[in-house]
Structure formats: C-alpha cells, structure tokens
Amino acid sequence: MSSLMPSPGPVEIDPVSGLSFRLLQPAPAAPRRLLVLLHGVGGHEQSVAGLAHGVPDDTLVALVRGPLALGPQQFAWFQVAFTAQGPRIVPEQAEHSRRALIALIAELQHVHGVAPAHTVVAGFSQGGIMSASVALSAPATVAGFGLLSGRILPELEPHLAPPAALAGLRGFVGHGEYDSKLPVDWAHRAHQWLDALGVPHVLKLYPIDHGISAEMQGDFLAWWQALA
C-alpha cells in the first residue's frame, strides 16, 4: 500500500469517447489493475473517490464524469424522472453513455496496459446502473461490475451479450433496505435477472437509505480484491 493519501488528479478528456475523467493520484507507473468508478445523478466524479479507499497501489483508479451537465458540479449519465409508475429515463442518453464508457475503458486499458481480466467498473446509483449496462453488454471489456444502490435498466435487454459470454463476469450488488429513491425491490430484481442470465454475483443488503455505507464500501472492496 502507498503511504501517500490518494487524491483526484486534474480533469482529463478522453479523445475517443469525449468523456471527462480524473485519475486518482499517485497513479501507478505500471498498473496491474484498473478500477473505473461512476457517480450518481447530480453528482460528480470526485464524489465516488471514497469507493477506492484502501485499494492496493498497483491499481489505476479512474473517476469518470457523466456527459450531461445539470448544474455547477452536477452531472448525469442520462435524464430520469421518478414517477408513480417507477423511474422513466431518456433511453437514447443512456445508450450514448453506455457506448462512450465502453470506448473510454478500452482506451484506458490500451494506454496504461491493463487487461480486461483485471478491470472492474462500479458506481453509485445511476453510476451503478451504467456499470451494469457496460458489463452486461460488453463482458469482454471487464472482469466484473459493482451495482451500488442502483438497478439494471429494462431498456438494456436488447443489448445483452449472449449467456456464454456473460458466464465469465462477476457482479456485486449492494443496496439499502430502506432506500427511498430506488426501493430495495430493484436489488432483488437485479439478483433474479443476473441469476437468469447465469452471471455469478453476490447480493448484500444494508440497513440504510439511498447511499453507500462504510460496510457496503468495505464489502465491495473485499469482493473486488477477491477477483484479482
């Protein structure tokens, strides 16, 4: 482990995807692993930096910013409205973000020499949604994904990879039992869908509202380290 306290570096813009991101510093000169972290709606890339607390110093951590600006330091991956019938999204925006993230991850792997087998994408809320979208549609890109207080978009179904390709993925689903934004039923739905798809995963529930507790972060980190 590095003795230096990690902190987000300057904003960089990926020329391939157009997405903005920061690399957690100090970044390893020759990373063995890549952890891509995605924020929730209305957040920003630095708001998920805490998820990387405790990662080994051979890990390159990329904090990625959503392409939609909602306000000062407020970004999103797609627009969403919370209705009595459930969340309603702008699917074209979600699809654009999914494709952009796949391109960004491939570029980071190419530039820094990290294999997909040592790459994990994870995020909070809408960031978790995008993590699952990337992994389940392009499983050759990553080894696993973290879905933290999020859901799997029903709109993703036409883009799902074949079951044989999905079998090599690993997933972590963490959710608050008292989530008032995305009720815990979404976690159970994700669990059932991943079972049906044959994706090995763990489901862990926590006595919290919509957020990430220290216990959830710790469980995610332990799961991630076990993939190495």
Side-chain angles (χ1 to χ4, degrees), residues 173-224:
V173 180
H175 212 99
E177 295 176 287
Y178 310 114
D179 195 318
S180 57
K181 182 65 71 173
L182 291 175
V184 70
D185 183 55
W186 283 110
H188 294 299
R189 292 188 205 181
H191 173 60
Q192 293 165 2
W193 200 357
L194 292 173
D195 269 350
L197 292 171
V199 177
H201 64 283
V202 297
L203 169 65
K204 289 186 175 290
L205 304 179
Y206 305 88
I208 59 172
D209 197 343
H210 190 64
I212 297 176
S213 64
E215 185 180 6
M216 186 189 294
Q217 190 270 346
D219 286 345
F220 166 72
L221 186 61
W223 167 86
W224 171 78

